[in-house]
Amino acid sequence: MEMASQGVKPVTLELGGKSPLIIFEDSEVENAVRGALMANFLSQGQVCSNGTRVFVQRDILPEFVEEVVKRTQAIKIGDPLSESTRMGALVSRPHLEKVLSFVDQAKKEGATVLCGGEPFVPSDPKLRGGYYMTPCVLGNCTDEMTCVKEEIFGPVMSVLSFETEEEVLQRANDTTLGLAAGVFTRDVKRAHRVVEHLQAGSCFINNYNITPVEVPFGGFKMSGIGRENGQVTIEYYSQLKTVFVEMGDVDSLF
C-alpha cells in the first residue's frame, strides 16, 4: 500500500486471518467434524481463511473432540499426486519449523496436544526430504494463548469451549483480524443472527471454505481491504467514467 501510494495506485489487500468456527450443541456433529477438518487441514493448513479457532459448546465438546481426533489421525500423508493422499508437505523447511514451534509454544502455555504436531517422514524414499508434519489438534486452549491469537498457517487446530451465544460472539470477534468465520447449528435463525454480528468478510453456515469464483472474498479489519472474485472485483481493475450528453439547448445563467 505504501509503495502504491507513490504513484497514486489503488490496491486490494488480503492479509490473512485467525478465523473462528463456532459449533453449537444442536449441530449435526458429523457435519461439524467434517467442517472443522476442512477449516483446518485443507492444503496442509496453508489457507488464509482457515477456521483455526474452533469454539465448541461445552455439552458436545467430548463427542466432538473424540471424533475430530480420530479423523485427524486417519489423514493419509504423502505424495500430493497420489489419489489416496489427503495431506502433502508444507511449503518450506523454515515454515515447517515455524509451525512446529507454535505447537511447542502451545504446550508451554498449557494446551494439550491431542494428536499430531510432529515431524513426519514418509515411507517412500523419494519423499523423505519433504517438509511433512502430522496434523495437530490442540485441546484445553484459552483465548490468551499464542496458538489462538496468531495465524499459524499450518495444520494446527485449536479447540476451545464456550457456554453461551453472547459469550462466544464476544470471543470470536476479539481479534484484530476478520477474514472469515463459520457457524454450525440446526437453528437457521440463530445462524443468521450470529453471522450478522461476526466481524468477518466471508461467513459460512453449516459448511466451511466454500469459495466459488462468483462470490466476493475479502476481509474486515486488519485482514485487508477490497475483494477478490465476483463482479465487485471488476471495480478494482477499472475506473468509472461519467459522461454527460446534452440533447437540447444549454440553459445558461449568463
Side-chain angles (χ1 to χ4, degrees):
M1 181 184 286
E2 182 181 4
M3 294 173 65
S5 69
Q6 298 173 18
V8 199
K9 298 290 192 298
V11 298
T12 61
L13 299 173
E14 191 269 276
L15 302 173
K18 192 65 184 176
S19 302
L21 173 59
I22 302 171
I23 300 172
F24 286 98
E25 61 188 0
D26 68 338
S27 301
E28 168 55 55
V29 175
E30 169 66 20
N31 281 326
V33 168
R34 291 180 184 181
L37 296 174
M38 285 293 292
N40 281 269
F41 302 136
L42 190 67
S43 191
Q44 296 75 248
Q46 299 167 133
V47 177
C48 50
S49 58
N50 272 357
T52 53
R53 293 186 294 147
V54 181
F55 293 93
V56 185
Q57 203 155 21
R58 189 174 299 279
D59 285 351
I60 63 166
L61 181 63
E63 179 185 2
F64 173 86
V65 167
E66 180 181 1
E67 190 62 25
V68 87
V69 168
K70 182 174 73 173
R71 298 285 188 89
T72 300
Q73 290 173 324
I75 293 173
K76 183 175 180 182
I77 307 169
D79 185 348
L81 298 180
S82 170
E83 289 282 349
S84 62
T85 296
R86 287 295 171 265
M87 182 170 292
L90 275 70
V91 69
S92 69
R93 172 67 63 184
H95 184 57
L96 171 62
E97 293 172 352
K98 179 181 178 182
V99 174
L100 291 172
S101 73
F102 272 107
V103 177
D104 290 338
Q105 183 66 27
K107 289 188 286 187
K108 292 176 183 176
E109 294 179 7
T112 302
V113 177
L114 301 177
C115 67
E118 299 176 344
F120 179 80
V121 180
S123 57
D124 186 341
K126 295 181 296 184
L127 304 176
R128 289 185 178 175
Y131 313 127
Y132 294 93
M133 68 173 286
T134 51
C136 179
V137 179
L138 298 174
N140 297 321
C141 295
T142 62
D143 297 335
E144 297 76 27
M145 290 180 177
T146 304
C147 62
V148 176
K149 296 177 72 70
E150 296 187 17
E151 184 177 30
I152 298 174
F153 212 67
V156 181
M157 178 193 304
S158 298
V159 180
L160 308 98
S161 66
F162 73 94
E163 297 283 355
T164 67
E165 178 180 318
E166 293 75 18
E167 169 209 340
V168 77
L169 267 172
Q170 187 277 324
R171 293 168 63 194
N173 288 329
D174 186 20
T175 172
T176 59
L177 301 170
L179 187 56
V183 177
F184 274 82
T185 176
R186 285 189 173 97
D187 186 340
V188 176
K189 288 184 178 180
R190 171 161 61 184
H192 283 283
R193 181 173 66 244
V194 170
V195 162
E196 180 183 1
H197 295 288
L198 285 170
Q199 299 166 2
S202 294
C203 294
F204 305 95
I205 295 175
N206 292 331
N207 212 327
Y208 206 91
N209 270 338
I210 306 301
T211 54
V213 71
E214 302 89 351
V215 178
F217 175 79
F220 286 10
K221 300 189 282 189
M222 294 297 288
S223 284
I225 57 173
R227 292 294 181 269
E228 303 169 3
N229 300 336
Q231 186 174 343
V232 68
T233 306
I234 298 172
E235 297 177 11
Y236 298 100
Y237 290 89
S238 59
Q239 292 189 76
L240 184 65
K241 178 184 289 186
T242 302
V243 178
F244 290 94
V245 178
E246 176 61 63
M247 303 300 290
D249 294 332
V250 175
D251 184 10
S252 176
L253 296 174
F254 307 99

